[in-house]
Each structure stands twice: as C-alpha cells, then as structure tokens.
Amino acid sequence: MRRFLLNVIFVLAIVLFIRYVHYSLEPEPSNQPDTYSNFSSLAENEDPADYDISYQEKKGSKILIMSPHGGRIEGGVSELVRYFNDDYSTYLFEGLKSHDNQTLHITSTNFDESLAEEKIKEHQYVVAFHGYKGEKKNTLVGGTDRKRAKMIVRALEKRGFSAELASSQSGLAGLSADNINNQGETGLSIQLEISREQREAFFDDFYYKDRKYTKTSEFYSYVRAIKHVLEKEYS
C-alpha cells in the first residue's frame, strides 16, 4: 500500500511539474490593462520582428476566421484558425516574443490593425477565436449571431465538449459594436472564448513551436464540430 501511495504521489508530482513548465513557457495574458490602446501605438513601440500579421484569401468565402490574439498571446488559437485555411479566408495577429507577449494584447474593441479592418469589411460574417484563463475545459460562445452561436454550443456538446452561450454580462460575449468581430458586411459574428485547460487538451505539447505537430484527436473533433455548423448555416 505504501509503495502504491508513493507511486501515486510521484505521478502527481510529474503532472504538476509538466503543467508548471507549460505555464512558464506559454503564460496566459494577465488581467492587467492593455499596454497599448490601439495598433498604431503598438507599432510605434514594438519591434516588428516580435509579431506577425497574416491574411489568407479564399475566393468566394463569406466568412473570415480570425484572431487578434494569436501566437503566444493566447496559446492555441492560431492553430484553430489555420485549420480553416483551405475552406475560408483567415486572418491572424500573432505574438512572437520569447516572453511578455501580454504587451501585444489589444482588446477586440480597440483592435484596429488596418489589414484586419479592411478584410473584415470584405466578408459577410466573422468567426473569432480567443482564449481565457479557465482551469476547467469549457468554451464560451458569443458574438452577435446568437442563433448560430447556440448551434455551435449544441454541436460541441454533442461531441462531448463543455460549452455554453456567453452571457451578455460576462464581458466575453463579443456584442459591442466596437468589437472588430462585428464590423463585417452584416455585423454578424461568432466569438469563441476557449479556456486554457481546453486549449492545452488540443495538443500533446503546448509549447508554441510544437503545437502544430502535436494536435490531438480532441483538436480535430472540436474544429470539425464548428466546421459542420459553418458549412450548414453560411453556405
């Protein structure tokens, strides 16, 4: 019995150590106010080598899949966006710093990078991926397209994921007219806020250089649930 308990303690210690390494290498943004209130201020003060802006056009796409908090700002969202490259237009702003990527976080109501603004206005609908500091697997689905947001919730739940419609009082619902998600042709958007715990489960290795090579079956089940709704509702 004593040997069994020692083995349990040893395994728990390894798990806790791995989680510590993950968080130290890929920390989440803090709850502190943003360093910059708009993109021009960020561009004036940050080295261009510390971030990347990418856009991939899909001819005929009604939807833009995007995140203003990719790379090492909110870990795992870039990989989710890029999954849709073959089917829809995509946009990413990614933090690439070795540390302190929090300084590159601009909240969506203030995010005004020119390429993002231009391309969002060329599409009818926007689907935005974000991350939040949740310790349990969960997704808060918001955005102005509440009908389709509810469909996303049901699709995720059907595949065994924890998901709920983001409350308009939560601050994560993405309903503000100033939110860059809501500046497309129709003003309709879906915003997915995914907990840290859930994003980690999408990869065998959460380190940013290894995520694209270590996607789990949970990753593919998640994105396919979302894709099914998009294909059905926005075709």
Side-chain angles (χ1 to χ4, degrees):
M1 183 67 179
R2 182 181 177 185
R3 186 179 184 85
F4 172 77
L5 289 174
L6 287 173
N7 286 337
V8 170
I9 292 170
F10 179 71
V11 170
L12 287 174
I14 291 175
V15 170
L16 290 172
F17 176 75
I18 291 172
R19 288 183 61 83
Y20 169 77
V21 171
H22 277 172
Y23 272 84
S24 62
L25 290 175
E26 301 297 329
E28 291 289 274
S30 70
N31 294 322
Q32 298 300 314
D34 288 345
T35 302
Y36 306 111
S37 60
N38 55 52
F39 188 78
S40 61
S41 296
L42 183 152
E44 288 173 5
N45 291 280
E46 297 288 343
D47 186 338
D50 285 337
Y51 59 86
D52 184 65
I53 300 166
S54 61
Y55 172 73
Q56 180 160 313
E57 181 84 29
K58 179 67 175 179
K59 188 175 181 180
S61 177
K62 297 179 181 179
I63 308 171
L64 178 67
I65 312 286
M66 61 90 69
S67 181
H69 303 147
R72 306 185 79 174
I73 302 174
E74 292 170 358
V77 299
S78 287
E79 290 73 21
L80 292 165
V81 170
R82 288 196 174 99
Y83 171 82
F84 296 94
N85 277 352
D86 292 337
D87 301 293
Y88 304 106
S89 300
T90 58
Y91 168 91
L92 279 167
F93 175 78
E94 300 180 278
L96 304 176
K97 289 186 171 187
S98 59
H99 64 281
D100 200 23
N101 282 274
Q102 167 68 23
T103 60
L104 301 176
H105 181 282
I106 300 176
T107 192
S108 294
T109 52
N110 292 333
F111 191 82
D112 57 356
E113 193 277 317
S114 59
L115 182 62
E117 290 188 318
E118 174 189 346
K119 296 306 179 181
I120 282 175
K121 290 173 183 175
E122 293 177 0
H123 291 80
Q124 295 181 36
Y125 310 103
V126 176
V127 177
F129 286 93
H130 295 264
Y132 75 95
K133 283 185 175 182
E135 295 182 358
K136 296 180 179 180
K137 291 182 180 181
N138 194 39
T139 300
L140 301 172
V141 187
T144 56
D145 194 343
R146 304 299 272 180
K147 175 185 174 183
R148 273 79 171 220
K150 291 177 183 177
M151 291 179 177
I152 294 283
V153 170
R154 290 196 293 269
L156 290 172
E157 288 179 332
K158 188 175 180 180
R159 288 182 177 247
F161 293 99
S162 172
E164 60 189 288
L165 194 67
S167 167
S168 59
Q169 307 301 317
S170 69
L172 297 176
L175 299 175
S176 171
D178 293 329
N179 191 314
I180 193 164
N181 306 345
N182 303 327
Q183 295 174 20
E185 291 180 6
T186 64
L188 293 176
S189 68
I190 295 173
Q191 178 170 296
L192 295 102
E193 292 277 357
I194 308 167
S195 70
R196 168 74 179 229
E197 190 76 9
Q198 180 61 79
R199 284 176 284 127
E200 282 198 359
F202 291 151
F203 310 95
D204 287 326
D205 190 335
F206 198 63
Y207 182 54
Y208 85 107
K209 289 185 177 180
D210 297 325
R211 285 194 293 256
K212 66 180 179 180
Y213 305 113
T214 64
K215 299 182 186 77
T216 63
S217 59
E218 200 162 329
F219 174 94
Y220 289 106
S221 180
Y222 188 94
V223 290
R224 286 167 183 159
I226 294 168
K227 183 179 178 181
H228 177 74
V229 175
L230 300 185
E231 288 177 337
K232 180 180 178 182
E233 292 298 315
Y234 293 133
S235 59

